[in-house]
Amino acid sequence: MSMQKDPASYEQAQALGLNEDEWGVILKRLGRAPNQTELGIFSVMWSEHCSYKSSRRHLRKLPTTGACVICGPGENAGVIDIGDGLACIFKMESHNHPSYIEPYQGAATGVGGIMRDVFTMGARPVALLNALRFGSPDHPKTRALVSGVVAGIGGYGNCVGVPTVGGETNFHAGYDGNILVNAMCLGIAEQDSIFYSAAKGAGNPVLYVGAKTGRDGIHGATMASAEFDDETEAKRPTVQVGDPFTEKRLIEACLELMQTNCIVAIQDMGAAGLTSSSIEMADKGGVGIDLDLDKVPQRETHMTPVEMMLSESQERMLIVLRPGKESEAQEIFERWELDVALIGKTTDTGHMVLHHKGETVCDIPIAPLGDDAPNYDRPWVAPPTLPVINASEIAPGDPAKALLRLVQSPDMASKRWIWEQYDRHVMADTLKASGGASDAAVVRVHDTNKALAMSSDCTPRYVLANPFEGGKQAVAECWRNLIASGASPMAVTDCLNFGNPERPDIMGQFVRAIDGMAEACRALDFPVVSGNVSLYNETAGTAIPPTPVIGGVGLIDDATMAMGFGGAVAGDALILLGKTTGWLGASLNLREIEGREEGAPPPIDLEQERRTGMLVRTLIHGGQVHAVHDLSDGGLACAATDMALASRCGVHLMASDTLSDAAWFFGEDQGRYLIAVKTGAVDALLDQAQQAGVDAKVVGTMEGLDVVLGDAMPLALDLLSQKHENWLPAYMEDA
Amino acid sequence: MKAIVHIRPRSGVLDPQGQAVAGALKHMGFDEVLSARQGKIIELELGDDDEQAVRQRVQKMCEHLLANTVIEDFSISIEP
Amino acid sequence: MNAAVIVFPGSNCDRDAVCALRDHTAKSVHRVWHRDTYLPKVDLVLLPGGFSYGDYLRSGAIAARSPIMAAVQAHAKRGGLVVGICNGFQILTETHLLPGALMRNAGLKFLCKSTPLRIENADTPFTRAYDDHGETAIPIAHHDGNYFADEDTLDRLEGQGQIVFRYVNNPNGSSRDIAGITNKAGNVLGMMPHPERAVDPLTGETGGLAFFKSLAGAMA
């Protein structure tokens, strides 16, 4: 039999990242050594990226069900019910390794891939967000990486015509060797027209559509499952190139096909391309699949079966059709000038069989690829507990000087240079985007009066200091941002970026961060419906700070009620909701002003978090507030400054009787919001807060054109704005 | 037969991309760079062996699509 | 009294244009596919923004050679109204319905921001609802919006009142701050800013409302 030609050896398996146990399972299941094609298929299907072998057992701890959940993890993206027969379909995914190697194409194809996950399920993509982490601004590579990644995200999203509405950007030396590029996409579908990946039924035709297959990105999934080393840069040719014009046509053609009754199952060809898409559809459908590789549209000559099966050429989809629907489907793709070919059919054998140039080059049972996929209980050690830093040991300092430094610190400085390169308004439904003075981006559901709020969040310095509390905080902050925008939080996607899971300390970060996320998601009724895990973000043994990014979605029933922090007016009173203890451990102030990255991060009382959030939601719905901003990096002073800049009105904050200026103005106690209300409404509001069991206190007023912190020197809005806006353009243009 | 079309910004037309390239090269220490113009090359494989006919057809292709003569100049070289 | 919005592969503001015309001119709006060779009976043809053919080769170059453009040219020649927004403007220059060309932004980056505009000629079918020499604000979102024409052409545009919109703060290096021009006859307009994105207070800006009000008047 031709399959037995060219049998693979254990050494070859090892070189593709398989270990001895995994090799043993393959031999046992096949009853023989795999050939090169089969080995390639096993190696990618059992890579960390595709099999989640280190993370699976821990991901199960996350709550994935809830009243709004239509489809949780396991499909291309999560699906939630947003009423009126509509669904929101969303997911976040990493493209870290490719973006470090070739920032423009790496980031661009990350955006393309996440959009395909969403429209594969029948949704029209309506919004993109991205969470970016770069190395220190002083690192020689950082500037070029920022420039390339931002241009790549814009180049792809702008061309396809889906608005990029939000995200976050951090800089830290911990990402010098491994940047993070996490892209999130939301789409909207009719609930009765959602498409899944289970290819039920034998004898159905398999249709390949989209771009031709080349040698791009071969072993990309394996690359995403290994540490970087000095030779990684030599792997450049494996990076894929994106073609947003083809993606745009693919979206239109697929959505058109979905209006017909042609589709049994549909999958995009993402990581591990044709291999994972065909195996997942067959596995979920409980069928086998036969493919004739000679029929696969090819961009290059002399491609081998393993190259075709592992290619990660972009903008390709695999569709299982109802029999007899071939020409109807083909006609649609041809009209959109896309390659289309019938390449095989589903079978009742339970095997994946591949034919190439008259020979059978692969014949493997499909079930074991999933059933026997490695599932490791990696050893882990509990992360050390850091001491709580007593605010009294931090010098109180000059709060005006500290504020001026914070507003121009790399993490706090305006990211206008980035988001002005993104089309934020195409589709004409963007109500609040980056720069829109809102804690979450808000996009109207087309031709309705509803809107979706969305935010991506993580504070890696908290997660590093205490993975459990940091995991909780990422979820809580995301929930808080949705609340502050006037939304009811619904569900989340996650993108878990960590180092090498084979190291017990890293595995400990991973396990505990998930424990924290799970606790917060449960307490806040905020289920996880989709997600992605990116491990091995390490270079030369140094791991990134643990970065579990949470992408949350909420619903605003009446789009005119969307809230922001730019609506405060002179004379408004500022009320702080939530409890303040002056927590400076792991704060931005401690890092930027004192140069110390130390201490336990602020803890979160989830019950209190929920109570406070519900009160804020009630106040917004009651039309009682002009502006709302959650307190996060830089605490009260930075939140008030944001509000002042966005509202174009100065602010006076009173000092505290009991806490030092540093602790009061810059402490990062969690679960807090700053709200601006008419002075006449203050008393009733304080009563309402007391009844709700929420600490509330008048902390200042909106007045003048300066930001004044207690007795410190006033800072003119113009000066703050200039410092805040100038850092990033000055940095980027200082080539 | 192969035709290679070189397209560059017309002289006098601002070329910010070329300027950026020159600037970057100077920053990298290539001080001898006085200026740069950035254009593009289009390679055409043609099923015709008559060089003169090919040249005429490619000239038309340039005028009708490949170059925008408001801002671009082009030149054609033919290889067997 | 109708309008047509042409859809090229890669157009991505076609829906926005259809909605803005539908909601703010109260006319019926047809979508016309780029491979079609005739237009329905319409007063206005709108070429929407986007990245037709991926902006490959040059922005608008390939779309300008698509089958429907002959019909658009004939419509323009008959005096019918033609509007090209962003990529549509690029297509109109590539078709030579408008003079000049749109090159890469001087800053080399894609730019999406609100831009203050001055109405230089309010005596056109596209601008009658604006105050002459008044200001408005409409967002831009483009990579290739840097308007170029030779000095003679620019002088002619100035002299004949063909410059309709000028940037107050030139964002992209355009010659003489040009944001939008008409042809000599005054029935074909190209502009880089997106009026269809500035018609709804909820989305933040309303500087495009007067544009559609003008069109509604012109089509009445």
Side-chain angles (χ1 to χ4, degrees):
Chain A
M1 236 168 135
S2 51
M3 277 118 47
Q4 285 162 352
K5 274 202 316 213
D6 206 8
S9 66
Y10 173 53
E11 286 68 30
Q12 287 169 321
Q14 251 184 327
L16 293 176
L18 292 168
N19 68 24
E20 200 173 349
D21 291 345
E22 291 160 0
W23 174 250
V25 175
I26 297 173
L27 294 184
K28 197 168 136 211
R29 278 296 189 161
L30 292 182
R32 59 180 167 83
N35 64 30
Q36 300 297 331
T37 305
E38 293 165 336
L39 175 66
I41 289 171
F42 275 101
S43 75
V44 295
M45 288 305 292
W46 288 359
S47 68
E48 188 69 57
H49 193 78
C50 291
S51 74
Y52 293 82
K53 59 191 171 190
S54 303
S55 60
R56 239 169 36 233
R57 63 182 59 234
H58 300 288
L59 295 173
R60 281 202 210 103
K61 292 184 271 190
L62 296 167
T64 58
T65 54
C68 69
V69 178
I70 295 175
C71 173
E75 282 290 335
N76 284 291
V79 185
I80 57 172
D81 182 350
I82 57 169
D84 300 333
L86 296 175
C88 173
I89 300 186
F90 66 102
K91 190 183 182 190
M92 190 177 336
E93 200 163 68
S94 64
H95 230 210
N96 304 336
H97 296 74
S99 300
Y100 186 79
I101 294 172
E102 164 46 53
Y104 185 98
Q105 293 298 345
T109 53
V111 172
I114 196 64
M115 275 197 275
R116 282 194 295 286
D117 279 333
V118 164
F119 75 73
T120 299
M121 297 193 73
R124 177 172 287 280
V126 298
L128 292 165
L129 298 92
N130 46 76
L132 310 178
R133 263 91 195 173
F134 296 105
S136 159
D138 301 328
H139 190 274
K141 280 192 174 155
T142 300
R143 198 177 274 109
L145 288 168
V146 173
S147 174
V149 164
V150 170
I153 290 171
Y156 206 99
N158 298 347
C159 181
V160 173
V162 176
T164 300
V165 296
E168 46 178 345
T169 306
N170 288 165
F171 296 87
H172 191 272
Y175 303 102
D176 279 352
N178 296 80
I179 62 169
L180 302 184
V181 175
N182 297 173
M184 174 169 165
C185 180
L186 284 84
I188 292 172
E190 305 270 348
Q191 282 179 23
D192 57 9
S193 183
I194 294 171
F195 292 82
Y196 296 97
S197 56
K200 293 199 182 84
N204 292 328
V206 177
L207 191 72
Y208 169 116
V209 303
K212 289 184 169 64
T213 295
R215 291 191 173 90
D216 330 43
I218 290 175
H219 284 302
T222 315
M223 184 168 91
S225 311
E227 280 183 48
F228 271 11
D229 56 38
D230 295 341
E231 287 176 15
T232 312
E233 303 238 358
K235 292 181 182 166
R236 190 183 282 265
T238 64
V239 170
Q240 319 88 307
V241 172
D243 176 2
F245 174 54
T246 296
E247 178 100 339
K248 168 71 175 165
R249 288 178 294 154
L250 205 50
I251 292 175
E252 300 303 333
C254 286
L255 292 179
E256 196 177 321
L257 180 67
M258 286 164 174
Q259 302 289 313
T260 68
N261 188 29
C262 292
I263 301 175
V264 175
I266 176 165
Q267 269 278 41
D268 75 301
M269 293 189 228
L274 197 48
T275 296
S276 66
S277 54
S278 57
I279 288 174
E280 277 172 34
M281 284 205 288
D283 192 24
K284 284 188 183 144
V287 296
I289 191 162
D290 265 32
L291 299 179
D292 181 352
L293 296 180
D294 298 319
K295 301 218 169 107
V296 171
Q298 292 160 52
R299 202 179 68 218
E300 297 173 63
T301 51
H302 307 302
M303 288 190 71
T304 64
V306 72
E307 285 173 335
M308 275 186 262
M309 291 307 290
L310 302 194
S311 164
E312 294 190 358
S313 292
Q314 300 289 295
E315 294 93 20
R316 301 178 301 159
M317 311 284 285
L318 202 62
I319 304 172
V320 176
L321 295 171
R322 292 182 203 288
K325 298 287 187 182
E326 294 89 334
S327 57
E328 186 177 352
Q330 279 177 291
E331 187 275 328
I332 291 173
F333 291 102
E334 280 161 7
R335 184 151 37 80
W336 285 98
E337 300 173 38
L338 293 161
D339 272 294
V340 55
L342 285 162
I343 63 166
K345 60 181 191 315
T346 56
T347 66
D348 58 7
T349 62
H351 279 231
M352 167 181 256
V353 180
L354 303 177
H355 309 279
H356 184 242
K357 298 199 187 297
E359 293 189 353
T360 302
V361 294
C362 165
D363 185 346
I364 52 181
I366 288 169
L369 279 166
D371 297 346
D372 292 351
N375 182 357
Y376 296 127
D377 189 0
R378 303 257 192 220
W380 60 277
V381 293
T385 305
L386 301 184
V388 172
I389 289 184
N390 191 333
S392 63
E393 65 174 272
I394 310 290
D398 175 345
K401 272 190 191 154
L403 177 62
L404 201 56
R405 272 183 52 193
L406 285 177
V407 297
Q408 58 186 310
S409 65
D411 280 356
M412 281 291 264
S414 166
K415 302 301 182 299
R416 179 186 302 272
W417 185 92
I418 292 175
W419 48 254
E420 276 191 349
Q421 296 187 54
Y422 302 150
D423 191 334
R424 307 180 302 286
H425 306 299
V426 62
M427 301 184 91
D429 282 314
T430 303
L431 308 189
K432 307 269 185 189
S434 308
S438 168
D439 283 320
V442 179
V443 174
R444 180 170 50 201
V445 179
H446 190 63
D447 273 341
T448 75
N449 192 35
K450 292 182 177 186
L452 294 170
M454 55 205 81
S455 177
S456 77
D457 295 281
C458 179
T459 311
R461 61 178 191 278
Y462 294 167
V463 192
L464 181 64
N466 182 331
F468 179 75
E469 287 296 333
K472 270 166 70 180
Q473 195 272 346
V475 173
E477 181 169 358
C478 186
W479 189 83
R480 214 177 290 148
N481 282 331
L482 298 177
I483 288 279
S485 72
S488 303
M490 297 189 80
V492 305
T493 180
D494 60 32
C495 192
L496 309 176
N497 308 275
F498 288 80
N500 181 347
E502 295 162 45
R503 281 173 40 189
D505 57 327
I506 300 293
M507 198 61 207
Q509 292 176 341
F510 185 75
V511 171
R512 292 300 287 156
I514 289 184
D515 288 343
M517 287 166 52
E519 188 168 305
C521 287
R522 234 175 240 116
L524 299 172
D525 193 14
F526 207 25
V528 178
V529 296
S530 60
N532 165 245
V533 178
S534 171
L535 301 175
Y536 296 95
N537 291 288
E538 295 206 13
T539 296
T542 306
I544 57 160
T547 313
V549 180
I550 302 296
V553 177
L555 185 66
I556 302 176
D557 286 323
D558 175 357
T560 63
M561 296 298 287
M563 181 46 63
F565 53 81
V569 294
D572 278 356
L574 291 174
I575 297 178
L576 177 62
L577 297 176
K579 195 172 159 85
T580 302
T581 68
W583 193 284
L584 285 169
S587 67
L588 193 68
N589 179 275
L590 192 65
R591 187 179 87 189
E592 296 294 325
I593 308 300
E594 305 291 324
R596 292 167 60 182
E597 299 188 45
E598 295 169 26
I604 296 181
D605 176 342
L606 290 165
E607 185 42 45
Q608 191 61 39
E609 178 83 53
R610 189 180 175 85
R611 247 196 318 256
T612 311
M614 288 301 133
L615 172 65
V616 172
R617 202 176 66 162
T618 306
L619 295 174
I620 294 172
H621 285 184
Q624 289 161 275
V625 293
H626 290 155
V628 177
H629 197 359
D630 83 307
L631 269 62
S632 55
D633 285 357
L636 175 62
C638 288
T641 302
D642 283 347
M643 198 177 271
L645 289 172
S647 304
R648 296 196 184 86
C649 176
V651 59
H652 287 211
L653 291 180
M654 294 173 280
S656 161
D657 306 334
T658 51
L659 295 172
S660 75
D661 279 352
W664 169 244
F665 288 122
F666 303 109
E668 294 181 4
D669 297 279
Q670 295 294 299
R672 297 187 299 164
Y673 300 81
L674 187 64
I675 60 177
V677 296
K678 272 195 252 174
T679 44
V682 168
D683 290 343
L685 209 149
L686 294 178
D687 281 349
Q688 205 176 341
Q690 195 183 12
Q691 279 165 25
V694 173
D695 284 9
K697 185 179 178 182
V698 175
V699 295
T701 53
M702 300 299 296
E703 59 180 283
L705 290 168
D706 298 319
V707 172
V708 184
L709 304 180
D711 299 328
M713 188 183 62
L715 294 167
L717 284 183
D718 285 348
L719 174 71
L720 285 163
S721 167
Q722 186 205 341
K723 297 289 184 193
H724 182 58
E725 292 292 344
N726 279 4
W727 180 78
L728 187 54
Y731 170 71
M732 292 307 298
E733 277 143 37
D734 182 22
Chain B
M1 189 163 260
K2 201 170 181 179
I4 300 171
V5 179
H6 293 258
I7 297 164
R8 28 181 113 60
R10 272 173 54 176
S11 61
V13 171
L14 179 72
D15 174 21
Q17 295 174 94
Q19 286 180 352
V21 169
L25 287 171
K26 281 187 209 168
H27 272 297
M28 292 164 72
F30 296 103
D31 297 326
E32 68 273 33
V33 174
L34 298 177
S35 70
R37 306 284 286 166
Q38 181 178 323
K40 52 191 159 225
I41 292 181
I42 298 172
E43 293 188 0
L44 300 166
E45 298 265 10
L46 299 155
D48 186 344
D49 287 336
D50 177 346
E51 181 172 339
Q52 205 181 344
V54 162
R55 191 172 285 281
Q56 276 177 8
R57 295 281 291 171
V58 174
Q59 176 88 18
K60 277 204 174 132
M61 292 179 203
C62 288
E63 287 162 1
H64 290 172
L65 176 67
L66 300 181
N68 178 348
T69 53
V70 175
I71 47 172
E72 292 169 331
D73 282 332
F74 61 89
S75 62
I76 300 165
S77 51
I78 308 281
E79 289 176 6
Chain C
M1 297 297 173
N2 299 321
V5 172
I6 313 289
V7 183
F8 301 94
S11 293
N12 63 29
C13 303
D14 45 324
R15 188 187 80 180
D16 307 351
V18 168
C19 292
L21 286 168
R22 178 195 69 194
D23 297 345
H24 300 284
T25 69
K27 303 289 182 270
S28 68
V29 187
H30 305 265
R31 278 181 201 241
V32 178
W33 184 235
H34 70 119
R35 289 253 197 84
D36 291 350
T37 49
Y38 66 93
L39 286 166
K41 199 167 156 41
V42 293
D43 307 285
L44 168 75
V45 175
L46 189 147
L47 309 184
F51 287 71
S52 58
Y53 290 93
D55 271 1
Y56 300 150
L57 190 62
R58 291 181 310 280
S59 304
I62 301 178
R65 279 80 184 169
S66 55
I68 193 64
M69 288 311 293
V72 174
Q73 275 175 302
H75 171 83
K77 205 165 257 173
R78 282 196 303 271
L81 298 178
V82 178
V83 169
I85 297 170
C86 197
N87 192 224
F89 186 10
Q90 294 159 346
I91 295 168
L92 289 175
T93 59
E94 283 282 348
T95 318
H96 302 300
L97 278 169
L98 291 174
L102 291 143
M103 307 199 312
R104 182 68 19 127
N105 291 346
L108 301 179
K109 293 195 297 286
F110 186 96
L111 262 186
C112 173
K113 62 193 288 190
S114 176
T115 48
L117 297 176
R118 202 164 43 247
I119 316 304
E120 293 290 340
N121 184 353
D123 187 23
T124 79
F126 315 102
T127 50
R128 274 202 184 104
Y130 288 102
D131 293 336
D132 199 15
H133 293 86
E135 281 190 17
T136 188
I138 298 181
I140 56 165
H142 61 242
H143 211 161
D144 297 317
N146 180 351
Y147 184 77
F148 173 86
D150 59 50
E151 288 298 313
D152 290 349
T153 305
L154 291 169
D155 289 344
R156 211 164 51 239
L157 290 175
E158 301 253 17
Q160 294 170 169
Q162 288 176 247
I163 299 174
V164 175
F165 296 107
R166 251 195 255 263
Y167 300 112
V168 175
N169 307 304
N170 192 337
N172 54 23
S174 288
S175 302
R176 305 199 191 174
D177 304 326
I178 286 173
I181 56 169
T182 62
N183 62 345
K184 192 177 169 195
N187 63 319
V188 178
L189 170 85
M191 64 191 292
M192 289 312 295
H194 285 273
E196 80 281 14
R197 296 185 185 183
V199 292
D200 179 353
L202 262 189
T203 62
E205 289 195 87
T206 52
L209 278 172
F211 180 81
F212 288 96
K213 195 174 164 199
S214 305
L215 288 182
M219 288 192 286

